[in-house]
Amino acid sequence: MRAKGAGMSGGEPQSYNFYLHSVFLLLLCLFTSYCSSSSYIKSSVIAQRKHALLPEISPSEAPQPLLPLLAPSPFSPFTNSSIPKLSGVCILNFAAVESMMRMTSIDCVGGFAPYLANVICCPQVDATLTVLVGQSSKDTNMLALNGTLAEPCLSDFEEILVGQGANDSLPRICSIHPSNLTEGSCPVGDVNAFESTVDSSSLLAACGKIDTVNECCKQVCQNAIAEAAGKLAVKTYDLMSIGGSHALADHSTRINDCRTIVLRWLASKLDPSHAKEVLRGLSNCKINKVCPLVFPNMSHVIKSCGSELHDQRACCKSVESYVSHLQNQSFVTNLQALNCAASLGLKLQKANITKNIYNLCRVSLKDFSVQVTPQGVESGCLLPSLPSDAVFDSSTGLSFLCDLNDNIPAPWPAPSQLPASSCNKTVKIPALPAAASGQSRICSADQASHALFVVLAIFALLMKI
């Protein structure tokens, strides 16, 4: 059974899917009642428009690092057992990134991919593509593919990932296009031209190993990459030949495209696992600067919580309803949650809501992320602000690390507040889990293996009816 991404629409299929989900929920209830509720983390369901298996936490224990369940053995390994249909013309060396491809399939597995897209899945996809082209340049001497090869190579890349269990909508989820494998507008695409233009030894010294904690603030590697990309962008290129704002826009595009070439060259000089660490560390600097959530129309909140607040209960009810829509979108990191709280707060302030409704309605940072349901009490799952991956274990299935150890109130922003940053020492960032050692268990290995296997097997049969 291939898990589809979230969000289904349409008449009869929608009704049928609703029936299937209802049956699935019933089966899950049987499963959770079968497992012990006092000693282990259990699975639950986000039963709204999107469905994902998430855990509950025993009330007798302090909150532990969250390890959500997707499916335990005997469904291991995570694969739909399909044989990828490859083009036969791609020149990329997929064997060089075999381990990274497996990790990418886990990070982007089935129905979890849309929820993990902005923090885990898509950054891992981007890093894997970069390392794939970089490592292949050892044979091809090219840091980019031409348009003719880019399309079949990207197709092969997707086929391999889907064959290993990844979501089959990754091109849409992560905005992947054949152009991601070309040089774009960068005038340099081969290794010799690159190394004759850039101070490669200085670049490798700055980026051969990065401090993932401090790189986002000190920007040692980022500055070296920007300098190298700038040198590539002006090669055989005359800014003065193009006038006005178009010249600046065109140059900015070239810089971005050349930055990709620089990253591929770096990936060719490091072993794949080391290159991944560097690339994911750099991407996280960008990820944590923004709020990935889309804020829908907030007229109902504005009406209920206007400057002349008369009914606090009605205000908080509208805020709760609004935030619940945000919780259907994506897992976010600690820092992203701070940025989302600030973004929403500033939008409300511009609508003349001056009262601190976060404090009034007890809105916390976790309210901006996907919710889990420990013993019937919803709590948000904030992902770590440092790079992380999902983890596959043969006994417990798929898991990823969440932070459920803090319950920090969402700060009501000052009118001129800057985006949250780990470089700002005055910002209180939710702590990472204290014991992410994988000691948590989902029921017992035997119970989970047999009980949930039956649940999912029945559901798989229903899907075929």
Side-chain angles (χ1 to χ4, degrees):
M1 178 180 68
R2 183 181 298 174
K4 295 292 183 182
M8 300 286 289
S9 62
E12 185 175 345
Q14 185 178 34
S15 175
Y16 182 63
N17 284 340
F18 177 78
Y19 165 74
L20 287 178
H21 288 147
S22 299
V23 174
F24 195 21
L25 286 173
L26 177 62
L27 293 173
L28 280 172
C29 289
L30 294 175
F31 166 68
T32 53
S33 65
Y34 178 77
C35 298
S36 170
S37 62
S38 61
S39 303
Y40 302 101
I41 297 176
K42 302 185 299 180
S43 68
S44 181
V45 173
I46 301 176
Q48 299 182 17
R49 290 188 64 190
K50 304 176 182 178
H51 301 269
L53 295 175
L54 296 168
E56 296 182 20
I57 294 179
S58 168
S60 64
E61 300 178 355
Q64 295 296 313
L66 175 61
L67 298 170
L69 168 71
L70 185 61
S73 58
F75 277 165
S76 59
F78 262 113
T79 174
N80 60 15
S81 300
S82 65
I83 300 175
K85 299 177 181 178
L86 303 183
S87 65
V89 299
C90 183
I91 62 174
L92 296 180
N93 183 7
F94 288 100
V97 293
E98 183 178 357
S99 178
M100 281 192 72
M101 295 284 283
R102 284 197 301 268
M103 187 75 261
T104 305
S105 298
I106 294 172
D107 284 345
C108 301
V109 70
F112 264 95
Y115 294 102
L116 297 174
N118 91 86
V119 180
I120 294 179
C121 172
C122 296
Q124 175 67 13
V125 169
D126 290 340
T128 305
L129 280 173
T130 300
V131 176
L132 174 59
V133 179
Q135 289 291 313
S136 298
S137 71
K138 295 177 180 179
D139 301 319
T140 65
N141 204 43
M142 297 298 298
L143 295 168
L145 298 180
N146 60 40
T148 303
L149 286 175
E151 189 167 346
C153 284
L154 182 58
S155 176
D156 288 354
F157 178 78
E158 295 165 9
E159 282 285 331
I160 294 171
L161 291 181
V162 172
Q164 294 175 342
N167 190 293
D168 61 2
S169 298
L170 284 184
R172 175 184 57 81
I173 294 171
C174 298
S175 299
I176 309 170
H177 308 285
S179 58
N180 292 104
L181 297 175
T182 70
E183 71 272 19
S185 60
C186 187
V188 177
D190 69 88
V191 175
N192 294 334
F194 180 96
E195 294 180 349
S196 66
T197 306
V198 171
D199 185 349
S200 54
S201 60
S202 296
L203 176 61
L204 194 57
C207 298
K209 183 177 183 180
I210 67 169
D211 183 338
T212 54
V213 175
N214 295 315
E215 171 61 29
C216 298
C217 303
K218 296 182 178 179
Q219 300 185 12
V220 175
C221 178
Q222 293 172 82
N223 289 337
I225 290 172
E227 180 181 351
K231 290 181 178 179
L232 296 178
V234 298
K235 189 175 178 66
T236 66
Y237 179 64
D238 183 7
L239 270 176
M240 300 304 294
S241 64
I242 305 176
S245 60
H246 181 70
L248 294 176
D250 185 64
H251 185 62
S252 175
T253 300
R254 283 200 173 211
I255 291 287
N256 288 333
D257 290 341
C258 288
R259 182 179 182 275
T260 300
I261 298 296
V262 174
L263 293 177
R264 291 172 187 167
W265 180 87
L266 279 171
S268 73
K269 299 301 179 184
L270 306 173
D271 65 82
S273 61
H274 192 180
K276 173 202 165 173
E277 181 182 346
V278 171
L279 294 170
R280 289 289 303 275
L282 293 173
S283 69
N284 254 50
C285 294
K286 182 178 180 181
I287 288 168
N288 286 314
K289 288 180 179 179
V290 299
C291 171
L293 303 182
V294 176
F295 295 106
N297 185 288
M298 56 187 69
S299 58
H300 185 60
V301 176
I302 295 171
K303 181 179 179 181
S304 302
C305 306
S307 55
E308 296 183 5
L309 179 59
H310 299 296
D311 190 340
Q312 177 179 332
R313 184 176 180 180
C315 171
C316 291
K317 186 176 180 180
S318 66
V319 170
E320 180 182 359
S321 175
Y322 186 86
V323 171
S324 70
H325 288 289
L326 300 181
Q327 293 165 355
N328 290 331
Q329 294 185 31
S330 174
F331 287 105
V332 299
T333 69
N334 298 320
L335 283 172
Q336 285 180 326
L338 285 167
N339 286 320
C340 291
S343 297
L344 178 58
L346 291 173
K347 288 179 182 293
L348 293 173
Q349 288 175 9
K350 289 180 181 178
N352 295 321
I353 295 180
T354 56
K355 198 171 188 67
N356 183 349
I357 62 171
Y358 289 169
N359 182 57
L360 186 71
C361 302
R362 298 184 179 180
V363 178
S364 70
L365 289 178
K366 292 175 184 174
D367 290 327
F368 291 90
S369 190
V370 173
Q371 302 294 291
V372 294
T373 313
Q375 296 302 322
V377 180
E378 286 194 345
S379 181
C381 167
L382 294 176
L383 297 175
S385 55
L386 293 178
S388 62
D389 288 300
V391 176
F392 176 75
D393 181 86
S394 59
S395 61
T396 60
L398 190 79
S399 62
F400 52 89
L401 189 63
C402 295
D403 173 18
L404 289 179
N405 293 341
D406 296 286
N407 191 29
I408 297 178
W412 187 248
S416 59
Q417 181 170 321
L418 296 174
S421 170
S422 58
C423 305
N424 182 355
K425 302 307 179 183
T426 64
V427 174
K428 186 177 182 181
I429 302 172
L432 297 177
S437 60
Q439 297 300 312
S440 302
R441 291 289 183 267
I442 303 171
C443 297
S444 67
D446 290 338
Q447 284 177 319
S449 296
H450 292 91
L452 194 59
F453 175 80
V454 173
V455 170
L456 293 180
I458 294 173
F459 186 65
L461 290 174
L462 288 171
M463 291 293 289
K464 294 180 179 179
I465 295 176

